């Protein structure tokens, strides 16, 4: 198979994409090629696209004899399990023939709305919110409602003494939401679970995926690059007393998240989705945020009668669009300080991290740091850099 050059459009035989390298579609084509086994071609496409569209070297990554000594590596946070894992035994069987899936239909027509939790087995704030809705016997006044506990197998392995080890069993479930991958021979615990619930996702009109974070950070919404997903996240954020940050991004090179599934990410459909990072794992504040947001989402979709959270309309939420993803190229990646999600670095060219011999600097002023991982492994994402935008 002939490799494309930078001056020719890329055609992916699986996606039918003919586009200029460096575009979002080129990255999607590269992901498709990689999942289909064309790893070398995918790496070539991604490396060409990144050099043209998202260069690190010389812009955010500078190799120099720095006059500033790197600080010591950030210590892992103290894992305070302030909220124990919920008892999901009453809900594990589901009510529609699929384990962990509860489906309810109203007599009046309306959208199919889904709430998902436990994409990662140790992130159970969202599971607490779903269990609360089930305990309260919430039923839609119109349309259909699906409440889905995703990775129950990983959740069953949660150990408070080793709380980070139950994120998944074999692989990250939130990199597997691709129709071609579902139809492939790829097999794992997470892949089989995705295949179980995939038919449900093909009929969902609006979805909220509930997550939480390892490092201390305020809540945030993540959504794709379409106007419909941005509008959903902004509407949810603006209805809360302290509107969380809304971040738009193009997903992960390793594979599509649930909110990146084509039904939600394509402009050819009306279906939409966004993701809530409710706060730090295992804290009561994160559970409260997940519960409030789940209730608010169902109200805004018209499945529940509305109620007012804010006495006065709050200011529009802060919004940001990711422009660069910074990976750790060494095992010595360290930030200059303990940044939190949503921190803004005002000056362009500011030093924010060291990666072995490299300095990581901001590419523009008012740069937003998105989900900084203060102890990244080599080859993993350390931080995403975003430019401030406007709410819908």
């Amino acid at each position: 198979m002939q490799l494309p050059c930078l001056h020719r459009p890329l055609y992916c035989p699986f996606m039918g994409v003919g586009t200029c390298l460096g575009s979002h579609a080129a990255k999607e084509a590269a992901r498709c090629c990689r999942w289909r086994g064309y790893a070398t071609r995918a790496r070539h496409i991604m490396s060409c696209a990144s050099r043209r569209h998202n260069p690190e070297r010389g812009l955010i990554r500078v190799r120099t004899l720095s006059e500033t000594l790197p600080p010591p590596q950030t210590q892992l946070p103290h894992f305070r399990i302030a909220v124990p894992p919920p008892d999901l035994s009453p809900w594990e069987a589901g009510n529609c023939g699929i384990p962990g899936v509860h489906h309810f239909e109203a007599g009046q027509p309306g959208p199919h709305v889904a709430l998902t939790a436990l994409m990662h087995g140790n992130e159970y704030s969202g599971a607490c919110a779903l269990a609360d809705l089930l305990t309260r016997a919430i039923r839609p006044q119109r349309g259909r409602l699906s409440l889905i506990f995703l990775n129950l197998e990983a959740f069953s392995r949660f150990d408070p003494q080793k709380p980070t080890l139950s994120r998944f069993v074999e692989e990250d479930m939130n990199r597997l939401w691709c129709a071609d991958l579902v139809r492939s021979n790829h097999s794992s615990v997470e892949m089989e679970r995705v295949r179980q619930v995939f038919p449900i996702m093909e009929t969902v009109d609006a979805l909220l995926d509930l997550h939480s974070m390892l490092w201390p950070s305020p809540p945030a919404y993540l959504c794709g690059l379409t106007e419909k997903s941005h509008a959903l996240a902004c509407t949810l954020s603006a209805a809360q007393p302290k509107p969380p940050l809304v971040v738009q991004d193009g997903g992960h090179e390793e594979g599509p998240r649930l909110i990146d599934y084509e039904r939600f990410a394509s402009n050819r459909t009306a279906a939409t989705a966004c993701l809530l990072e409710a706060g730090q794992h295992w804290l009561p504040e994160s559970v409260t945020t997940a519960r409030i947001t789940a209730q608010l989402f169902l109200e805004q979709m018209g499945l529940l009668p509305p109620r007012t959270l804010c006495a006065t309309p709050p200011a529009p939420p802060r919004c940001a669009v990711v422009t660069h993803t910074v990976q750790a190229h060494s095992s010595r990646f360290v930030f200059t300080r303990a940044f939190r999600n949503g921190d803004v670095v005002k000056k362009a060219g500011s030093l924010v991290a060291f990666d072995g011999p490299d300095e990581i600097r901001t590419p523009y002023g008012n740069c937003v740091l998105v989900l900084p991982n203060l102890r990244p492994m080599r080859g993993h994402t350390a931080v995403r850099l975003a430019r401030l935008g406007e709410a819908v």
Side-chain angles (χ1 to χ4, degrees), residues 194-206:
V194 168
R195 290 189 177 104
Q196 275 189 326
V197 301
F198 202 76
I200 299 172
M201 300 306 170
E202 293 182 310
T203 67
V204 169
D205 299 304

Side-chain angles (χ1 to χ4, degrees), residues 38-155:
Y38 291 87
T40 302
R41 175 178 165 87
R43 284 195 295 270
H44 176 88
I45 294 169
M46 288 306 305
S47 63
C48 292
S50 64
R51 283 198 297 271
R52 175 171 174 170
H53 179 66
N54 190 18
E56 276 194 20
R57 183 66 62 190
L59 180 62
I60 61 175
R61 183 179 292 273
V62 179
R63 181 156 296 185
T64 181
L65 293 175
S66 179
E67 296 179 357
T68 305
L69 289 175
Q73 200 167 36
T74 304
Q75 296 296 313
L76 286 172
H78 172 66
F79 298 127
R80 183 169 69 94
I81 314 296
V83 176
D87 178 13
L88 299 183
S89 57
W91 320 116
E92 288 178 350
N95 73 345
C96 61
I98 304 174
V101 178
H102 292 261
H103 187 76
F104 307 100
E105 298 193 11
Q108 299 296 321
H112 181 189
V113 175
L115 279 162
T116 54
L118 288 182
M119 181 73 74
H120 301 122
N122 61 344
E123 299 180 18
Y124 52 72
S125 297
C128 293
L130 265 59
D132 178 63
L133 292 173
L134 290 166
T135 301
R136 292 161 50 201
I138 292 293
R139 299 293 183 268
Q141 62 181 11
R142 70 184 188 109
R144 295 179 287 164
L145 172 62
S146 295
L147 305 177
I148 305 173
F149 301 98
L150 286 167
N151 203 337
L152 286 167
E153 182 63 33
F155 172 72

Side-chain angles (χ1 to χ4, degrees), residues 347-359:
K347 186 178 178 181
S350 295
L351 178 64
V352 295
F354 295 90
D355 189 4
D358 295 345
E359 293 180 345

Side-chain angles (χ1 to χ4, degrees), residues 62 68 76 80 86 88 119 121 135-136 158 174 203 221 230 256 258 267 304 311 322 371 374:
V62 179
T68 305
L76 286 172
R80 183 169 69 94
L88 299 183
M119 181 73 74
T135 301
R136 292 161 50 201
F158 180 79
N174 214 20
T203 67
Y221 289 96
H230 189 218
L258 176 54
N267 282 316
L304 297 179
V322 170
L371 299 176
L374 302 184

Side-chain angles (χ1 to χ4, degrees), residues 71-368:
Q73 200 167 36
T74 304
Q75 296 296 313
L76 286 172
H78 172 66
F79 298 127
R80 183 169 69 94
I81 314 296
V83 176
D87 178 13
L88 299 183
S89 57
W91 320 116
E92 288 178 350
N95 73 345
C96 61
I98 304 174
V101 178
H102 292 261
H103 187 76
F104 307 100
E105 298 193 11
Q108 299 296 321
H112 181 189
V113 175
L115 279 162
T116 54
L118 288 182
M119 181 73 74
H120 301 122
N122 61 344
E123 299 180 18
Y124 52 72
S125 297
C128 293
L130 265 59
D132 178 63
L133 292 173
L134 290 166
T135 301
R136 292 161 50 201
I138 292 293
R139 299 293 183 268
Q141 62 181 11
R142 70 184 188 109
R144 295 179 287 164
L145 172 62
S146 295
L147 305 177
I148 305 173
F149 301 98
L150 286 167
N151 203 337
L152 286 167
E153 182 63 33
F155 172 72
S156 70
R157 304 182 183 204
F158 180 79
D159 180 356
Q161 302 303 315
K162 300 175 181 178
T164 63
L165 299 186
S166 55
R167 179 175 170 84
F168 51 78
V169 179
E170 294 185 79
E171 61 180 332
D172 191 338
M173 183 183 286
N174 214 20
R175 304 292 183 269
L176 303 176
W177 298 93
C178 168
D180 284 339
L181 195 58
V182 168
R183 291 190 290 264
S184 74
N185 293 326
H186 177 62
S187 179
S188 69
V189 169
E190 280 75 20
M191 190 73 252
E192 295 309 313
R193 179 57 171 166
V194 168
R195 290 189 177 104
Q196 275 189 326
V197 301
F198 202 76
I200 299 172
M201 300 306 170
E202 293 182 310
T203 67
V204 169
D205 299 304
L207 178 138
L208 177 63
D209 190 19
L210 299 171
H211 290 248
S212 55
M213 299 174 274
L214 177 63
W215 297 95
S217 284
Y221 289 96
L222 303 183
C223 62
L225 297 175
T226 60
E227 290 186 8
K228 61 182 181 179
S229 62
H230 189 218
L232 173 62
C234 286
T235 302
L236 286 169
S237 178
Q240 297 180 231
K242 294 182 179 180
L245 174 70
V246 175
V247 177
Q248 285 186 280
D249 67 26
H252 293 267
E253 291 183 13
E254 295 83 0
R257 301 164 297 188
L258 176 54
I259 65 171
D260 302 322
Y261 169 46
E262 185 180 7
R263 178 176 175 81
F264 306 128
S266 171
N267 282 316
R268 297 188 297 271
T269 69
T272 186
C274 69
L275 180 158
L276 171 70
E277 295 284 3
Q280 192 177 14
H281 302 332
W282 319 309
L283 295 184
E285 300 91 333
S286 302
V287 174
T288 298
T289 297
R291 284 174 172 162
I292 289 174
T293 305
Q295 178 81 20
L296 183 62
F297 177 60
L298 297 181
E299 292 171 8
Q300 292 189 345
M301 293 298 108
L303 271 66
L304 297 179
R307 62 180 181 177
T308 302
L309 282 179
C310 305
T312 58
R318 286 192 310 151
C319 297
V321 181
V322 170
T323 60
H324 298 80
T325 298
V326 181
Q327 285 193 333
H329 291 181
S330 76
S331 58
R332 294 178 291 151
F333 193 104
V334 58
F335 287 93
T336 55
R337 65 180 178 87
F339 289 105
R340 290 159 60 94
N341 183 49
D343 281 353
V344 177
V345 181
K346 293 185 177 180
K347 186 178 178 181
S350 295
L351 178 64
V352 295
F354 295 90
D355 189 4
D358 295 345
E359 293 180 345
I360 307 299
R361 294 183 175 270
T362 53
Y364 39 76
N366 292 323
C367 181
V368 182

